[in-house]
Amino acid sequence: MLAPDRMLPTEPALRGIAREIHQQTARLPVVSMHGHVDARLLAENRPFTDPAELFVTSDHYVVRMLVSQGVPLEQIGMPAAHEAVAVETDPRAIWRTFCANWHLFRGTPSRYWLEHELVDVFGVPHRPSAETADAIYDHLVAMLERDEYLPRALLDRFDIEILATTDSATSTLGGHAALAREGYGERIVPTFRPDGLLHPTAASWPQSVRRLAERSGIDIAGYDDFLDALGERRRTFIAMGARATDHGHLHADTTPLDHTDAARIFATALRGEVSERDADAFSSHMLFEMARMSVDDGLVMQIHAGVLRDHNAEVRRRFGPDRGFDIPVGAEFTRNLRPLLEAFGREPGMRLVVFTVDETVYSRELAPLAGVYPAMRLGAPWWFLDSPHGMRRFRELVTETAGFYNTSGFVDDARAFASIPARHDLSRRIDAGYLARLVGEGQLTLDEAVETAIDLAYRLPLEAYARRSEHAVSSLGVGADAYR
Amino acid sequence: MLAPDRMLPTEPALRGIAREIHQQTARLPVVSMHGHVDARLLAENRPFTDPAELFVTSDHYVVRMLVSQGVPLEQIGMPAAHEAVAVETDPRAIWRTFCANWHLFRGTPSRYWLEHELVDVFGVPHRPSAETADAIYDHLVAMLERDEYLPRALLDRFDIEILATTDSATSTLGGHAALAREGYGERIVPTFRPDGLLHPTAASWPQSVRRLAERSGIDIAGYDDFLDALGERRRTFIAMGARATDHGHLHADTTPLDHTDAARIFATALRGEVSERDADAFSSHMLFEMARMSVDDGLVMQIHAGVLRDHNAEVRRRFGPDRGFDIPVGAEFTRNLRPLLEAFGREPGMRLVVFTVDETVYSRELAPLAGVYPAMRLGAPWWFLDSPHGMRRFRELVTETAGFYNTSGFVDDARAFASIPARHDLSRRIDAGYLARLVGEGQLTLDEAVETAIDLAYRLPLEAYARRSEHAVSSLGVGADAYR
Amino acid sequence: MLAPDRMLPTEPALRGIAREIHQQTARLPVVSMHGHVDARLLAENRPFTDPAELFVTSDHYVVRMLVSQGVPLEQIGMPAAHEAVAVETDPRAIWRTFCANWHLFRGTPSRYWLEHELVDVFGVPHRPSAETADAIYDHLVAMLERDEYLPRALLDRFDIEILATTDSATSTLGGHAALAREGYGERIVPTFRPDGLLHPTAASWPQSVRRLAERSGIDIAGYDDFLDALGERRRTFIAMGARATDHGHLHADTTPLDHTDAARIFATALRGEVSERDADAFSSHMLFEMARMSVDDGLVMQIHAGVLRDHNAEVRRRFGPDRGFDIPVGAEFTRNLRPLLEAFGREPGMRLVVFTVDETVYSRELAPLAGVYPAMRLGAPWWFLDSPHGMRRFRELVTETAGFYNTSGFVDDARAFASIPARHDLSRRIDAGYLARLVGEGQLTLDEAVETAIDLAYRLPLEAYARRSEHAVSSLGVGADAYR
């Protein structure tokens, strides 16, 4: 059984206060405004394949930890893309490798989430180890065959009020269309992610542009057509329930080009002759353009900046993306976001949510920016930072400058569907602990702390991701009170 | 009532130790060696205008938080400089907006300071809210009419032993002259801030140079005259009691130019033809020159580096400076301070106090530099970092490398006069907590902790800001013992 | 007496758990895989000279703290290299200066280590101060005359299982040879440090290359000879027991040159005509080459990056290196280590241990890299960061992403021989406290915490520094389990 007071402060007085706060948020519905669950999983609603697929191979946190200790990717079932290498295909063997390495996860959030899933979601009575691997495997297989472990049954059991997926700008949104036909259209919503279209030196760019033309029905002969097609696709996403766009860029530069330069670079890119430098400038320019479109159509804009994808070219070539070899680099926001914020940061129709994996900018740049620009909210700790210490540092580094109400509340970024409740529960416990300390230090009263905890877990993400066009935005707004 | 143990450690054993330490510093006089109170406030000694002016519109921390949640600057009385827009002029209406948004300040130092001021200084019995706004307003108006709330009465009540203001190098120092005539000359002292003269591309630079010529009585035809005039003004400031200079630069580069280059750039600047690049080099050079002058005249040199002022050009244009749109950028000190420290860092007559808003340099650069160069002291956490967590992180990141005695002790940087006691009290509580932990962990004895706490609150700032020429500086000094 | 629970968590419940954990590691042998003790000290096994030499002048942490408060280097016996200045030569006088300034060390790890040494190693019954200086001095002198305070007696008393020294690549290893003859060959081992040969613009480079030729017996006419000679020396070091190489570079760039460019730069360097830019490229290239050699010969590769040596040229000129004027600069690893890690990061024969003094890269770069590349381990907190708060921040910033098993365990970097037990004990206490918190929060069971503590103190450093060629490296390894 999971310890009822896990992750609350260890000090008795604070633990008592934190428990009181957490009791007020523990049963709130889950608002999951950003993640990587595939809509088809819920549209098809078929049983999960097997424990190895559910817990190991689909989770790049787990994959990378095993790899870091010398486990070859092949041994955990990673198919080498272009070469004939013996790959482990028996899920039970993969599961055994995972369980034998359970000690590697000590002190990591993966351990915390996995334990929560195994114990709380699946009722596993053993601690993973080489000895218990088979028994746990059999237990899980038996559970996965039951109707109550079908994806939509879990959606209800997890009490997920809204689930946003992440979808390529050129997606057919077939899963979402199917879900909409079954009445899930407002509950499971797509997110517009045009990354593949905004970096013209990516190998797949020409194909992405062709696909954009197909999907939008707009012939893309030049830059203006490209913008029109993007706008058309945004409208389609909005019609399918989308609340937001999402942008994964190496840096957050938002310097706009003038129209002539943008059109010229786009034309050279279409001819396959664009330089790395021009492509980079174009990609920054397009962030600015995406902001302009957000002001018009009300889609909330998310920026996830600062990760160098595929640090190891050979792994990328042999095994594909998302194998754990994405590594953060230093980030800069004060100067990079300036063009966007000067142009749109005080527009009532604009909402920008910024995520980083570089903690050095929390107190130095992001909290001061979010603490003055009305359009900006600071996203929750992302990726490696979505962890107990990561979330504590976030609150400690951000709150004193930005307050609580310039943050987005909790946003989970889950790939593993079954990890969503663990992640939200952990966040609520950490926030309860942080708020308990403010109460214990005499900075807040308990009723203020409870209200803030509820806001962080539930109201703030709903408000942060409300489409601005639908939202009653008053230019004389009184801030967070607006949704009380 | 404020909780007597507020901001002390929550753990009972540490709280007891911290309380013992804090009791030894709670009643010490306030030494306020850097801030932005206007000397005329004390020279004129008239009642404060109204609650909105006292607590809201004069405090850029409060202004920016309201703006961040969509409150237009006009709604809180910010006069748009060049345009005819309806501006709220009723202080009671501004006060209501502030109180209705009280929740935005949860977890921020503003909340802590404001609560201290309202409760402890003004005896307000209500928690701010939309409902209580009028009652609090009326209470404050009644208080402000009383003699005991006149600025000089508060100066005594706050037990401020010395208050340093910040003054343009071209100031007439009229307020200080008036105060000197009434016997406050040693208690309220100016600080020499020549920023407006050191950045030749600033729009106001030509006017500043003309004013420098006027004030100094030196005709400024070239660079040598400029240096003479600066020296003359420094002497005037010293005569008025100044202890220190202050320098707000975007970066801390101190690379000197040779005299010919400096003179050439100054000449082109006088003709209005200086390039951004030359102006930047000149500004770095002048930091070096200011250090040279400090070695000669004994003024302590302060550097506040790393803030990009006026991030939003439109806000600057319409509403002026200091509206909350000043945002930090990454800082570098190891290489930037090297020329200055190699030349003057081991000079007995030199004292440099360095402030940053970039916490990444605390343990990496500033503590190692202050931990070896005798001229250097590390200033207290500044601006956004002058906060409970900010001060704790400072001690945790700095002490192990620089010790306590290479820091300046507490320096407040207050704009709001009535917030000074709250700020000093908070700092004393945080330091008491930090020292209590060292005692609890067996690193210090209680008597050492108490002595250190007194040094940080009182003796160290006095020593750090003692004019070096007046100070008995022994080249074979035994450090902090010198002033025991 | 030292407090038995010093540096354990102050909270009673956690302290109890931490005490249980610490009891399991407190008596483990010391594994000291990196440090600066001179092998001759143990080969000669003569009494330590005097207290001033043992505790003050040989410890740059102590020297710099005294200097930072105005104590001239001459006053603590630092011989000015090229000038006739009066230097204090009486060790008792130096000792008095140190004791009179004892308060400067409050809150620093130096204070902690010194107190441990004085009390626990030497049985000193007084707290250092101006008053007690002479009594302590006399006590220490009496102890140092005893056989039980000879270096090898202390080696046994400290229970040092293995001690790695740091040795120039051109060292004769005379001390090590003498120790080997007396049966200490496996217990006291050298480390191959070729820095002097890898930076061709260093003043001593030509002499170092000549010495390399002499020692290796290879005439160095060009780049290929240079590589051969380095390889030869590595083999000699391995024959003397070396486990590792060590590389102190300003930045961690590992970009390789092609052979022609490397040979050309080496040739210009031999002629004394190399440019700073080429020398820098060569030095980065050589890090890559050292990695290649490590894959071949199994020496573990250590990189210590990011310290600007000799910040003050005058101090360097007058007093020599290691006087406290080495200051960190910002570090970057994601891009800098990429060439090395892409080439060798997944080689079973490779082991890279990375150290930094820039904490900003812990969570952003080093933990993600160590958390996926099997060759890489994250070294222990280094230099200024080898301190209570420094070690706590390291665990908090690193563990959630890299786990415990991608770190090297404790590595001490001691110069002062007598400080080794204090440093290891401190590390074990801090780790016990960190693990106790994970137990208290429900993240680990007590048995897992104890096992992890033992691994961090003992097994992990042994495993991290096992020569890869000797180690049973399975390409299908199960990570840390391999050495259980």
Side-chain angles (χ1 to χ4, degrees), chain A residues 334 338 342 363 373 400 405-406 445 448 451-452, chain B residues 64 68-69 106 111 127 311 313 328 359 387 389:
Chain A
T334 301
R338 194 179 192 181
E342 285 201 279
S363 71
Y373 278 103
E400 295 179 328
Y405 291 91
N406 287 308
T445 59
E448 289 178 304
E451 192 181 56
T452 306
Chain B
R64 72 177 178 77
S68 77
Q69 292 275 326
R106 288 177 191 164
R111 154 77 179 247
R127 186 204 284 190
H311 191 266
E359 302 180 275
S387 62
H389 283 304

PDB file of all heavy atoms in Angstrom, chain A residues 334 338 342 363 373 400 405-406 445 448 451-452, chain B residues 64 68-69 106 111 127 311 313 328 359 387 389:
ATOM      1  N   THR A 334      14.678  36.614 -21.647  1.00  0.00           N
ATOM      2  CA  THR A 334      14.479  38.064 -21.534  1.00  0.00           C
ATOM      3  C   THR A 334      14.591  38.745 -22.900  1.00  0.00           C
ATOM      4  O   THR A 334      13.708  39.517 -23.294  1.00  0.00           O
ATOM      5  CB  THR A 334      15.513  38.668 -20.558  1.00  0.00           C
ATOM      6  OG1 THR A 334      15.350  38.052 -19.284  1.00  0.00           O
ATOM      7  CG2 THR A 334      15.324  40.169 -20.419  1.00  0.00           C
ATOM      8  N   ARG A 338      11.337  39.113 -26.072  1.00  0.00           N
ATOM      9  CA  ARG A 338      11.020  40.536 -26.096  1.00  0.00           C
ATOM     10  C   ARG A 338      10.196  40.965 -27.315  1.00  0.00           C
ATOM     11  O   ARG A 338       9.185  41.666 -27.150  1.00  0.00           O
ATOM     12  CB  ARG A 338      12.315  41.346 -26.013  1.00  0.00           C
ATOM     13  CG  ARG A 338      12.078  42.812 -25.689  1.00  0.00           C
ATOM     14  CD  ARG A 338      13.406  43.551 -25.587  1.00  0.00           C
ATOM     15  NE  ARG A 338      13.231  44.867 -25.015  1.00  0.00           N
ATOM     16  CZ  ARG A 338      14.217  45.722 -24.836  1.00  0.00           C
ATOM     17  NH1 ARG A 338      15.470  45.379 -25.145  1.00  0.00           N
ATOM     18  NH2 ARG A 338      13.992  46.913 -24.332  1.00  0.00           N
ATOM     19  N   GLU A 342       6.660  42.524 -26.509  1.00  0.00           N
ATOM     20  CA  GLU A 342       6.407  43.942 -26.803  1.00  0.00           C
ATOM     21  C   GLU A 342       5.207  44.086 -27.748  1.00  0.00           C
ATOM     22  O   GLU A 342       4.412  45.007 -27.614  1.00  0.00           O
ATOM     23  CB  GLU A 342       7.646  44.588 -27.431  1.00  0.00           C
ATOM     24  CG  GLU A 342       8.736  44.854 -26.411  1.00  0.00           C
ATOM     25  CD  GLU A 342       9.706  45.924 -26.895  1.00  0.00           C
ATOM     26  OE1 GLU A 342      10.593  45.572 -27.679  1.00  0.00           O
ATOM     27  OE2 GLU A 342       9.547  47.090 -26.486  1.00  0.00           O
ATOM     28  N   SER A 363      14.045  32.246 -11.682  1.00  0.00           N
ATOM     29  CA  SER A 363      13.983  33.472 -10.876  1.00  0.00           C
ATOM     30  C   SER A 363      14.533  34.664 -11.636  1.00  0.00           C
ATOM     31  O   SER A 363      14.162  35.793 -11.386  1.00  0.00           O
ATOM     32  CB  SER A 363      14.731  33.294  -9.548  1.00  0.00           C
ATOM     33  OG  SER A 363      16.130  33.232  -9.737  1.00  0.00           O
ATOM     34  N   TYR A 373       3.901  40.887 -17.473  1.00  0.00           N
ATOM     35  CA  TYR A 373       3.151  40.844 -18.738  1.00  0.00           C
ATOM     36  C   TYR A 373       1.837  40.089 -18.551  1.00  0.00           C
ATOM     37  O   TYR A 373       1.854  38.897 -18.233  1.00  0.00           O
ATOM     38  CB  TYR A 373       3.973  40.169 -19.836  1.00  0.00           C
ATOM     39  CG  TYR A 373       4.972  41.091 -20.491  1.00  0.00           C
ATOM     40  CD1 TYR A 373       6.324  41.026 -20.182  1.00  0.00           C
ATOM     41  CD2 TYR A 373       4.546  42.041 -21.417  1.00  0.00           C
ATOM     42  CE1 TYR A 373       7.238  41.881 -20.783  1.00  0.00           C
ATOM     43  CE2 TYR A 373       5.457  42.904 -22.022  1.00  0.00           C
ATOM     44  CZ  TYR A 373       6.803  42.818 -21.706  1.00  0.00           C
ATOM     45  OH  TYR A 373       7.697  43.666 -22.298  1.00  0.00           O
ATOM     46  N   GLU A 400       7.919  33.970  -5.229  1.00  0.00           N
ATOM     47  CA  GLU A 400       8.152  35.272  -4.593  1.00  0.00           C
ATOM     48  C   GLU A 400       8.130  36.421  -5.601  1.00  0.00           C
ATOM     49  O   GLU A 400       7.827  37.555  -5.248  1.00  0.00           O
ATOM     50  CB  GLU A 400       9.481  35.242  -3.828  1.00  0.00           C
ATOM     51  CG  GLU A 400       9.399  34.239  -2.673  1.00  0.00           C
ATOM     52  CD  GLU A 400      10.681  34.130  -1.871  1.00  0.00           C
ATOM     53  OE1 GLU A 400      11.767  34.295  -2.473  1.00  0.00           O
ATOM     54  OE2 GLU A 400      10.609  33.895  -0.669  1.00  0.00           O
ATOM     55  N   TYR A 405      -0.478  33.217  -9.080  1.00  0.00           N
ATOM     56  CA  TYR A 405      -1.523  33.410 -10.090  1.00  0.00           C
ATOM     57  C   TYR A 405      -0.975  33.772 -11.467  1.00  0.00           C
ATOM     58  O   TYR A 405      -1.735  33.903 -12.411  1.00  0.00           O
ATOM     59  CB  TYR A 405      -2.562  34.407  -9.571  1.00  0.00           C
ATOM     60  CG  TYR A 405      -3.327  33.774  -8.428  1.00  0.00           C
ATOM     61  CD1 TYR A 405      -2.905  33.913  -7.105  1.00  0.00           C
ATOM     62  CD2 TYR A 405      -4.407  32.950  -8.693  1.00  0.00           C
ATOM     63  CE1 TYR A 405      -3.564  33.271  -6.070  1.00  0.00           C
ATOM     64  CE2 TYR A 405      -5.084  32.307  -7.662  1.00  0.00           C
ATOM     65  CZ  TYR A 405      -4.651  32.469  -6.355  1.00  0.00           C
ATOM     66  OH  TYR A 405      -5.314  31.816  -5.341  1.00  0.00           O
ATOM     67  N   ASN A 406       0.322  33.907 -11.578  1.00  0.00           N
ATOM     68  CA  ASN A 406       0.929  34.026 -12.905  1.00  0.00           C
ATOM     69  C   ASN A 406       1.555  32.711 -13.367  1.00  0.00           C
ATOM     70  O   ASN A 406       2.340  32.693 -14.307  1.00  0.00           O
ATOM     71  CB  ASN A 406       1.966  35.149 -12.918  1.00  0.00           C
ATOM     72  CG  ASN A 406       1.300  36.511 -12.873  1.00  0.00           C
ATOM     73  OD1 ASN A 406       0.428  36.789 -13.679  1.00  0.00           O
ATOM     74  ND2 ASN A 406       1.692  37.350 -11.914  1.00  0.00           N
ATOM     75  N   THR A 445      -2.786  32.363   5.841  1.00  0.00           N
ATOM     76  CA  THR A 445      -3.721  31.653   6.714  1.00  0.00           C
ATOM     77  C   THR A 445      -4.087  30.334   6.038  1.00  0.00           C
ATOM     78  O   THR A 445      -3.905  30.169   4.826  1.00  0.00           O
ATOM     79  CB  THR A 445      -5.000  32.481   6.929  1.00  0.00           C
ATOM     80  OG1 THR A 445      -5.600  32.709   5.646  1.00  0.00           O
ATOM     81  CG2 THR A 445      -4.665  33.827   7.575  1.00  0.00           C
ATOM     82  N   GLU A 448      -6.506  30.659   3.096  1.00  0.00           N
ATOM     83  CA  GLU A 448      -5.844  31.128   1.872  1.00  0.00           C
ATOM     84  C   GLU A 448      -5.073  29.995   1.205  1.00  0.00           C
ATOM     85  O   GLU A 448      -5.056  29.860  -0.014  1.00  0.00           O
ATOM     86  CB  GLU A 448      -4.869  32.262   2.192  1.00  0.00           C
ATOM     87  CG  GLU A 448      -5.527  33.572   2.577  1.00  0.00           C
ATOM     88  CD  GLU A 448      -4.470  34.636   2.915  1.00  0.00           C
ATOM     89  OE1 GLU A 448      -3.622  34.375   3.802  1.00  0.00           O
ATOM     90  OE2 GLU A 448      -4.493  35.710   2.314  1.00  0.00           O
ATOM     91  N   GLU A 451      -7.445  27.566  -0.582  1.00  0.00           N
ATOM     92  CA  GLU A 451      -7.963  28.172  -1.811  1.00  0.00           C
ATOM     93  C   GLU A 451      -6.889  28.168  -2.898  1.00  0.00           C
ATOM     94  O   GLU A 451      -7.148  27.842  -4.058  1.00  0.00           O
ATOM     95  CB  GLU A 451      -8.408  29.610  -1.513  1.00  0.00           C
ATOM     96  CG  GLU A 451      -9.214  30.233  -2.615  1.00  0.00           C
ATOM     97  CD  GLU A 451      -9.604  31.664  -2.275  1.00  0.00           C
ATOM     98  OE1 GLU A 451      -8.701  32.498  -1.986  1.00  0.00           O
ATOM     99  OE2 GLU A 451     -10.795  31.962  -2.309  1.00  0.00           O
ATOM    100  N   THR A 452      -5.661  28.487  -2.507  1.00  0.00           N
ATOM    101  CA  THR A 452      -4.565  28.508  -3.486  1.00  0.00           C
ATOM    102  C   THR A 452      -4.286  27.111  -4.020  1.00  0.00           C
ATOM    103  O   THR A 452      -4.056  26.929  -5.225  1.00  0.00           O
ATOM    104  CB  THR A 452      -3.301  29.083  -2.822  1.00  0.00           C
ATOM    105  OG1 THR A 452      -3.602  30.357  -2.257  1.00  0.00           O
ATOM    106  CG2 THR A 452      -2.180  29.248  -3.846  1.00  0.00           C
TER     107      THR A 452
ATOM    108  N   ARG B  64       3.586  46.168 -10.732  1.00  0.00           N
ATOM    109  CA  ARG B  64       3.773  45.137 -11.745  1.00  0.00           C
ATOM    110  C   ARG B  64       2.873  43.924 -11.501  1.00  0.00           C
ATOM    111  O   ARG B  64       2.400  43.295 -12.437  1.00  0.00           O
ATOM    112  CB  ARG B  64       5.244  44.738 -11.861  1.00  0.00           C
ATOM    113  CG  ARG B  64       5.785  43.950 -10.739  1.00  0.00           C
ATOM    114  CD  ARG B  64       7.222  43.522 -10.951  1.00  0.00           C
ATOM    115  NE  ARG B  64       7.645  42.798  -9.776  1.00  0.00           N
ATOM    116  CZ  ARG B  64       7.304  41.546  -9.505  1.00  0.00           C
ATOM    117  NH1 ARG B  64       6.574  40.858 -10.367  1.00  0.00           N
ATOM    118  NH2 ARG B  64       7.686  40.966  -8.404  1.00  0.00           N
ATOM    119  N   SER B  68       0.308  42.507 -14.186  1.00  0.00           N
ATOM    120  CA  SER B  68       0.488  41.143 -14.691  1.00  0.00           C
ATOM    121  C   SER B  68      -0.825  40.384 -14.794  1.00  0.00           C
ATOM    122  O   SER B  68      -0.911  39.386 -15.506  1.00  0.00           O
ATOM    123  CB  SER B  68       1.447  40.359 -13.789  1.00  0.00           C
ATOM    124  OG  SER B  68       0.787  39.954 -12.600  1.00  0.00           O
ATOM    125  N   GLN B  69      -1.844  40.857 -14.064  1.00  0.00           N
ATOM    126  CA  GLN B  69      -3.132  40.160 -14.109  1.00  0.00           C
ATOM    127  C   GLN B  69      -4.173  40.979 -14.859  1.00  0.00           C
ATOM    128  O   GLN B  69      -5.378  40.773 -14.703  1.00  0.00           O
ATOM    129  CB  GLN B  69      -3.607  39.837 -12.698  1.00  0.00           C
ATOM    130  CG  GLN B  69      -2.746  38.795 -12.023  1.00  0.00           C
ATOM    131  CD  GLN B  69      -3.156  37.371 -12.351  1.00  0.00           C
ATOM    132  OE1 GLN B  69      -4.327  37.085 -12.533  1.00  0.00           O
ATOM    133  NE2 GLN B  69      -2.184  36.470 -12.453  1.00  0.00           N
ATOM    134  N   ARG B 106      -0.055  36.573  -2.473  1.00  0.00           N
ATOM    135  CA  ARG B 106       0.239  35.403  -1.624  1.00  0.00           C
ATOM    136  C   ARG B 106       1.615  34.821  -1.962  1.00  0.00           C
ATOM    137  O   ARG B 106       1.914  34.588  -3.130  1.00  0.00           O
ATOM    138  CB  ARG B 106      -0.814  34.313  -1.852  1.00  0.00           C
ATOM    139  CG  ARG B 106      -2.156  34.653  -1.270  1.00  0.00           C
ATOM    140  CD  ARG B 106      -3.168  33.568  -1.601  1.00  0.00           C
ATOM    141  NE  ARG B 106      -4.512  34.050  -1.241  1.00  0.00           N
ATOM    142  CZ  ARG B 106      -5.639  33.487  -1.668  1.00  0.00           C
ATOM    143  NH1 ARG B 106      -5.593  32.420  -2.453  1.00  0.00           N
ATOM    144  NH2 ARG B 106      -6.796  33.982  -1.303  1.00  0.00           N
ATOM    145  N   ARG B 111       3.692  40.931  -0.021  1.00  0.00           N
ATOM    146  CA  ARG B 111       2.655  40.599   0.954  1.00  0.00           C
ATOM    147  C   ARG B 111       3.199  40.685   2.383  1.00  0.00           C
ATOM    148  O   ARG B 111       2.562  41.239   3.275  1.00  0.00           O
ATOM    149  CB  ARG B 111       2.129  39.189   0.648  1.00  0.00           C
ATOM    150  CG  ARG B 111       1.537  38.419   1.794  1.00  0.00           C
ATOM    151  CD  ARG B 111       0.127  38.883   2.142  1.00  0.00           C
ATOM    152  NE  ARG B 111      -0.382  38.060   3.238  1.00  0.00           N
ATOM    153  CZ  ARG B 111      -1.385  37.201   3.129  1.00  0.00           C
ATOM    154  NH1 ARG B 111      -2.027  37.095   1.998  1.00  0.00           N
ATOM    155  NH2 ARG B 111      -1.764  36.488   4.162  1.00  0.00           N
ATOM    156  N   ARG B 127      -7.890  42.260   7.304  1.00  0.00           N
ATOM    157  CA  ARG B 127      -7.171  41.706   6.165  1.00  0.00           C
ATOM    158  C   ARG B 127      -7.696  42.393   4.895  1.00  0.00           C
ATOM    159  O   ARG B 127      -8.906  42.499   4.712  1.00  0.00           O
ATOM    160  CB  ARG B 127      -7.441  40.194   6.071  1.00  0.00           C
ATOM    161  CG  ARG B 127      -6.610  39.521   4.989  1.00  0.00           C
ATOM    162  CD  ARG B 127      -7.257  38.223   4.496  1.00  0.00           C
ATOM    163  NE  ARG B 127      -7.105  37.114   5.434  1.00  0.00           N
ATOM    164  CZ  ARG B 127      -7.426  35.847   5.128  1.00  0.00           C
ATOM    165  NH1 ARG B 127      -7.886  35.537   3.933  1.00  0.00           N
ATOM    166  NH2 ARG B 127      -7.289  34.886   6.014  1.00  0.00           N
ATOM    167  N   HIS B 311      11.962  46.867 -20.594  1.00  0.00           N
ATOM    168  CA  HIS B 311      11.811  45.760 -21.544  1.00  0.00           C
ATOM    169  C   HIS B 311      10.748  46.074 -22.592  1.00  0.00           C
ATOM    170  O   HIS B 311      10.838  45.599 -23.724  1.00  0.00           O
ATOM    171  CB  HIS B 311      11.422  44.513 -20.744  1.00  0.00           C
ATOM    172  CG  HIS B 311      11.462  43.227 -21.492  1.00  0.00           C
ATOM    173  ND1 HIS B 311      10.369  42.685 -22.116  1.00  0.00           N
ATOM    174  CD2 HIS B 311      12.487  42.357 -21.720  1.00  0.00           C
ATOM    175  CE1 HIS B 311      10.703  41.532 -22.684  1.00  0.00           C
ATOM    176  NE2 HIS B 311      11.974  41.305 -22.462  1.00  0.00           N
ATOM    177  N   ALA B 313       9.104  48.884 -24.747  1.00  0.00           N
ATOM    178  CA  ALA B 313       9.340  50.274 -25.185  1.00  0.00           C
ATOM    179  C   ALA B 313       8.076  51.109 -25.112  1.00  0.00           C
ATOM    180  O   ALA B 313       8.125  52.290 -24.771  1.00  0.00           O
ATOM    181  CB  ALA B 313       9.904  50.273 -26.609  1.00  0.00           C
ATOM    182  N   PRO B 328      15.772  41.028 -15.450  1.00  0.00           N
ATOM    183  CA  PRO B 328      17.185  40.609 -15.396  1.00  0.00           C
ATOM    184  C   PRO B 328      17.629  39.828 -16.628  1.00  0.00           C
ATOM    185  O   PRO B 328      16.814  39.215 -17.330  1.00  0.00           O
ATOM    186  CB  PRO B 328      17.226  39.697 -14.155  1.00  0.00           C
ATOM    187  CG  PRO B 328      16.052  40.102 -13.330  1.00  0.00           C
ATOM    188  CD  PRO B 328      14.998  40.490 -14.319  1.00  0.00           C
ATOM    189  N   GLU B 359      21.099  34.589  -9.714  1.00  0.00           N
ATOM    190  CA  GLU B 359      21.589  33.731  -8.632  1.00  0.00           C
ATOM    191  C   GLU B 359      22.622  32.714  -9.097  1.00  0.00           C
ATOM    192  O   GLU B 359      23.314  32.124  -8.264  1.00  0.00           O
ATOM    193  CB  GLU B 359      20.417  32.976  -7.997  1.00  0.00           C
ATOM    194  CG  GLU B 359      19.362  33.909  -7.465  1.00  0.00           C
ATOM    195  CD  GLU B 359      18.207  33.144  -6.838  1.00  0.00           C
ATOM    196  OE1 GLU B 359      17.297  32.733  -7.577  1.00  0.00           O
ATOM    197  OE2 GLU B 359      18.213  32.960  -5.616  1.00  0.00           O
ATOM    198  N   SER B 387      13.972  38.549  -0.464  1.00  0.00           N
ATOM    199  CA  SER B 387      12.758  37.783  -0.171  1.00  0.00           C
ATOM    200  C   SER B 387      13.166  36.600   0.702  1.00  0.00           C
ATOM    201  O   SER B 387      14.348  36.266   0.767  1.00  0.00           O
ATOM    202  CB  SER B 387      12.176  37.265  -1.480  1.00  0.00           C
ATOM    203  OG  SER B 387      13.113  36.385  -2.094  1.00  0.00           O
ATOM    204  N   HIS B 389      12.894  33.188   0.533  1.00  0.00           N
ATOM    205  CA  HIS B 389      13.668  32.142  -0.141  1.00  0.00           C
ATOM    206  C   HIS B 389      14.933  32.723  -0.786  1.00  0.00           C
ATOM    207  O   HIS B 389      15.977  32.073  -0.809  1.00  0.00           O
ATOM    208  CB  HIS B 389      12.831  31.447  -1.210  1.00  0.00           C
ATOM    209  CG  HIS B 389      11.852  30.470  -0.677  1.00  0.00           C
ATOM    210  ND1 HIS B 389      12.214  29.417   0.121  1.00  0.00           N
ATOM    211  CD2 HIS B 389      10.504  30.380  -0.805  1.00  0.00           C
ATOM    212  CE1 HIS B 389      11.134  28.727   0.451  1.00  0.00           C
ATOM    213  NE2 HIS B 389      10.085  29.296  -0.091  1.00  0.00           N
TER     214      HIS B 389
END
